[in-house]
Amino acid sequence: MKNYMHNLFSKLRKSVFLLLLAFWCIKPLQAQEETTSIAFLADVHLQDVFGKLSETDFQGPLLPGTTDHFLMRTMEAQLHSTRLFNENYFAFTAALEDLAARGIHWVALPGDYTDDGQPLNLKGLYRLLRTFETQYDLRFFITTGNHDPAVPFATPAGKTDFLGENGKPQPVFSEEGMYTPKADEHPVIVSPDIAKMGYSGVLDALGSFGFMPRPEYAYWATPFSTYTPMEYTYTKALQAANLKERQYPVTPDTLLPDLSYVVELNKDIWLLALDGDVFVPDGKGGFEGAGTGYNRVLSHKKHLIAWVEKLSKQADALGKKLIAFSHFPMIDFNDDASGQIEALMGANKFQLYRVPDEAVAEAFADAGLKIHVGGHMHINDTGRRTTPAGNTLINIQTPSPAAYFPAYKILHIGETGVEVETVKLNKVTGFKTLFPLYKTEYRHLKQIRNSEVWNPAILEVSDYNAYTAWHLRELIRLRFLPGDFPQTLRNFLPEMSLEHLLLLAYQTQEEPETYLKRLQNQPGFAKKEWKRLQPQRNTPLKRSILKKLSGADLIYDFYRLRGGDDLAKPYITANQLALYEHLYKSFSENRDKYPNSELGQQLQLLMHILHRFHNGQPSDHFKIDWETGKLERL
């Protein structure tokens, strides 16, 4: 393992040097004015595959042909999760390498930087951040996520889906007696390193990355500190940083920590790290999860809004730009299609409970906040809101390196505006390292199951972007389609050709269900209809191409656009995108023709949502005007 890590970091240092040579030849992005650049890496979800569990000899499975063991999760688990568990270690390292090559100094991590705030992964993250801090002069600022801490106080925990020898699942728990293994699982491994740490554990492990003041900071404060910027001293900041001084009443009889802070990066920028976690007592001696986000801040953590207003006024008076980041989004991240999504899928589907109320954006915009960078959803998106009072807030959703589309953001902050650059993670050194162990897992699953297992084609990819795209394909098949899509749409759409879908969109003579059966079952009917509807069709795609494309392809593009937004568009042909717009317009025009057709109404809603995903705010490379909040594609 030591040899593997040494070789990996040797390759990284060489790659950084080569990338530096390349970037030295490129003009600065903001050549017209002096800028400060801050990178944002959200939802890393680090699983320390190189880590070691204490109080056990278990090291993870042995990689064939080597002496290296890896603490990894099963591919089966990854393909049912909205994130990868293992390869994101390599993707995160590649992102840090890229940042070093670009000469970026400031790096913010908007929460969920570990799997679940376990000692194993907190230590692994600390090791990586310290390595890049000392070797490449990166400076990190982190805030909380709903996975770190996953609970406000340390709690016994574990996972059933580590990969053991011979491709079998290996349960690992922090205490004895927490889990009884199934017939096809190895006996339980016990290690305290897999427990979920609370606020104090996260602070102890990662306090030096923004959560605590450092002597070199010109200014650092919390919502509870009482000194002004003019009165600031490091000694006062250390006193204010004590966890006992950073608590608020989530209920009248329950105090919880709040790790929010603001730090001065240079003479022009204040970076505000908001702790959006709200753990509400569940009445059973525990706490509800924090995944709901800012809706709970409005009801249980209102002091943050008052603090933001105070900071905004101070920043304006001192000539500072206030840039905020946190884990949770402040604006609808579904391109304002959440109403249609609820109508199609239901109120409890598509993670709609995570969509912030409009009151969230209004509260923070009217408090003076102009730009907020969030994560949580593992998607690329930009939201914009202007309040009745005339205040504008821009919410930038940073993608995750652990999901499709893998990328991170860089904000280049100038006097008059902010240039937002999205950096794609295509080339990731070492991401195929664990593939031989997945092949062992696959062979094992094929031996013990009659039902279909995950598609091994995911192991044939050439780059990391393609790998996350395959992860998305399997996630759609195994989780999203059966879990989110209504039964009627699930029955008809995946196997429907886009030729039939197009004809279905334009015809108005029969109920959609009846018409579709004729298209599928009557020889020659589709060809006849193609000719009859020629004046209305207006499609850029030939019939021969439409016959080869299916509803499953449309569903895949639906989720690609939802996850990647502008990043995904180059991977979908312009003709297909144009076809989707034709379908949207036609289904919208005919939506009242058959109000009792469940299929027709669901297809109309689906195409409306897809239209919104395709036509959102710029989310790849764009500029924000500091005064007006106007967005300009670059």
Side-chain angles (χ1 to χ4, degrees), residues 555-611:
I555 293 168
Y556 178 46
D557 289 344
F558 176 88
Y559 280 100
R560 282 204 286 183
L561 286 170
R562 197 273 178 141
D565 206 282
D566 284 350
L567 304 181
K569 291 175 185 177
Y571 295 85
I572 305 170
T573 69
N575 283 342
Q576 278 180 261
L577 290 173
L579 172 67
Y580 298 153
E581 288 298 297
H582 286 311
L583 289 168
Y584 156 69
K585 291 175 183 176
S586 182
F587 275 116
S588 296
E589 290 169 359
N590 296 329
R591 64 185 171 189
D592 296 327
K593 296 288 179 63
Y594 302 104
N596 297 322
S597 169
E598 196 170 61
L599 177 61
Q601 293 300 309
Q602 290 179 0
L603 285 171
Q604 186 273 323
L605 284 167
L606 180 70
M607 298 315 301
H608 192 146
I609 298 163
L610 185 56
H611 166 73

Side-chain angles (χ1 to χ4, degrees), residues 331-336 379-384 395-399 409 561-566 612-613 616-619 622:
I331 293 175
D332 185 320
F333 44 78
N334 288 320
D335 294 311
D336 295 324
I379 63 173
N380 179 55
D381 187 64
T382 307
R384 184 180 186 274
N395 182 82
I396 300 165
Q397 282 301 115
T398 302
K409 301 281 186 180
L561 286 170
R562 197 273 178 141
D565 206 282
D566 284 350
R612 291 287 184 92
F613 288 171
Q617 300 284 0
S619 62
F622 58 97

Side-chain angles (χ1 to χ4, degrees), residues 34 57 86 111 143 154 156 158 180 207 235 244 246 249 275-276 307 315 335 351 375 392 404 424 468 522 536 580:
E34 183 179 347
D57 294 329
N86 304 319
T143 189
T180 301
T235 301
K244 293 181 180 178
R246 304 167 74 175
D275 174 2
W307 186 50
D335 294 311
Q351 302 188 73
T392 298
Y404 183 86
K424 297 84 171 172
T468 61
Q522 290 185 17
Q536 295 101 303
Y580 298 153

